[in-house]
Amino acid sequence: MIKRMPTNCGDKTCPSCVIAGDFIFLAHHAGGNNEKGVEEQMKSCLESMKKTLESAGAKMNDMVQINLHLRFIEDFDKARKVFNEYFDEENFPARMTTTTDFINKNCLCMLDGTAYKPGAGK
């Protein structure tokens, strides 16, 4: 069974996540674009992901993979440190980091990824 959750960004073509069986595929999560620092934007992104996961019956420690998209590679160490606030040390998801431009010029980071939660699609 496939279930699509309501959008988190106001774009009806982009569900906040798609649940397919035991997997939860999270769309891009950005937040705090009015905040100046990457740390604050990372916290907003992760809080948004947390809310989406909770709507699917999952938790942050159910994340198995995250893609971190940064505007500036120089922000990597600051962004990486924020993960410690949201994941238990033994439960960090696999991560890929890249840099990119964003449509919103105030955006410094975005996250997407995959969670695994047995029974999520029921």
Side-chain angles (χ1 to χ4, degrees), residues 10 16-17 24 30 37 45 52 60 66 69 72 75 86 92-93 100 102-103 106-107 114 117-118:
S16 59
C17 71
I24 304 166
C45 292
T52 296
M60 292 298 284
I66 282 185
H69 308 277
F72 306 112
D75 286 338
Y86 288 86
F92 288 113
T100 188
F102 298 110
I103 293 170
N106 294 323
C107 185
T114 305
K117 179 68 176 178

Side-chain angles (χ1 to χ4, degrees), residues 90-108:
E90 65 278 356
N91 288 313
F92 288 113
R95 183 184 66 234
M96 199 294 246
T97 304
T98 187
T99 58
T100 188
D101 285 331
F102 298 110
I103 293 170
N104 181 331
K105 295 298 180 191
N106 294 323
C107 185
L108 299 176

Side-chain angles (χ1 to χ4, degrees), residues 71-82:
R71 179 176 293 278
F72 306 112
I73 194 63
E74 296 81 12
D75 286 338
F76 176 70
D77 284 334
K78 293 177 190 174
R80 183 176 55 119
K81 288 177 184 174
V82 178

Side-chain angles (χ1 to χ4, degrees), residues 31-87:
N33 292 336
N34 294 326
E35 301 292 334
K36 296 193 188 281
V38 72
E39 296 98 332
E40 291 82 10
Q41 288 195 21
M42 280 291 295
K43 289 176 186 178
S44 292
C45 292
L46 288 161
E47 286 295 326
S48 180
M49 288 184 96
K50 183 178 175 181
K51 183 177 175 182
T52 296
L53 287 167
E54 288 171 352
S55 76
K59 297 180 180 178
M60 292 298 284
N61 284 332
D62 294 319
M63 293 294 299
V64 294
Q65 184 266 333
I66 282 185
N67 295 312
L68 168 59
H69 308 277
L70 294 171
R71 179 176 293 278
F72 306 112
I73 194 63
E74 296 81 12
D75 286 338
F76 176 70
D77 284 334
K78 293 177 190 174
R80 183 176 55 119
K81 288 177 184 174
V82 178
F83 284 106
N84 291 310
E85 298 176 36
Y86 288 86
F87 297 97

Side-chain angles (χ1 to χ4, degrees), residues 7-11 13-17 25-31 33 45 48-49 52 67 69 102-103 107 109-113:
T7 182
N8 67 333
C9 64
D11 179 352
T13 67
C14 184
S16 59
C17 71
F25 300 92
L26 288 97
H28 69 281
H29 283 66
N33 292 336
C45 292
S48 180
M49 288 184 96
T52 296
N67 295 312
H69 308 277
F102 298 110
I103 293 170
C107 185
C109 59
M110 282 188 186
L111 298 168
D112 64 52

